[in-house]
Amino acid sequence: FDTFCSLLIGIINLAYPYATRAIINEFIPEKNLKMILIFSGALVIVYLIKALFNYLVATYGHKVGVLIQADMRKELFQKLQNLPVTYFDENKTGTIMSRVVNDLMDISELAHHLPEEVLLAATTIIGAFVMLSLINVNLTLIVFACVPFFVLFAILSRNGQKQAFAEMR
């Protein structure tokens, strides 16, 4: 459900530039106050709908994350119960619990945020490409030629962040 809402949020995000472009390029030069007000009112309604979808994504997504985390905690507790006593002699209980809590939190966050974030990003990128192509194909290709450089920058930045997080832990 929250993935579907994320898809709708991505589509709604694509509506803002289109409506703004229509207002700026068509209605303001023509001094068509009626259409300016209609489009502005429609944008307010769309913004409220988007706020509702964001609320649903956050609410249901975190509920799913909590349920995932609860299931994993039960399974992990059963696993810890079956370990030999010598394991606990060699490893500090506080360290084990700290690691379990932090890792489960990370996994549950990833499990419920990843699908919606990937879908939202894909919808935005594909939609932006289509909308920009309808305006000017050559400029669209120039803009999207920069995407590999952004991906490379993100990968390089992520490696530095990964190292910093590892040192923090």
Side-chain angles (χ1 to χ4, degrees), residues 23 27 30-41:
I23 291 170
F27 306 140
E30 296 172 3
K31 297 180 180 163
N32 190 345
L33 185 61
K34 180 180 177 183
M35 289 305 291
I36 293 172
L37 293 175
I38 289 172
F39 265 63
S40 298

Side-chain angles (χ1 to χ4, degrees), residues 39-153:
F39 265 63
S40 298
L43 284 175
V44 168
I45 291 169
V46 166
Y47 181 79
L48 293 173
I49 291 170
K50 181 183 166 191
L52 174 67
F53 287 147
N54 279 325
Y55 172 77
L56 293 173
V57 165
T59 302
Y60 288 108
H62 282 95
K63 282 184 182 178
V64 167
V66 167
L67 293 174
I68 290 169
Q69 195 173 14
D71 289 344
M72 287 189 301
R73 280 181 190 230
K74 286 177 190 173
E75 290 176 20
L76 207 52
F77 181 73
Q78 290 171 352
K79 175 72 175 172
L80 286 172
Q81 289 289 336
N82 294 327
L83 291 174
V85 176
T86 56
Y87 177 80
F88 296 101
D89 290 340
E90 296 169 4
N91 298 289
K92 295 179 183 177
T93 306
T95 303
I96 296 168
M97 294 311 296
S98 175
R99 183 77 190 257
V100 165
V101 169
N102 289 331
D103 288 353
L104 286 180
M105 178 66 76
D106 291 343
I107 291 169
S108 68
E109 286 293 313
L110 179 72
H112 77 85
H113 281 298
L114 183 67
E116 59 201 40
E117 292 296 328
V118 167
L119 187 61
L120 182 61
T123 303
T124 303
I125 290 172
I126 293 168
F129 184 82
V130 169
M131 288 178 67
L132 288 173
S133 294
L134 294 174
I135 296 170
N136 188 323
V137 174
N138 292 332
L139 286 177
T140 303
L141 294 175
I142 291 170
V143 168
F144 275 84
C146 297
V147 170
F149 298 109
F150 294 138
V151 170
L152 179 65
F153 176 75

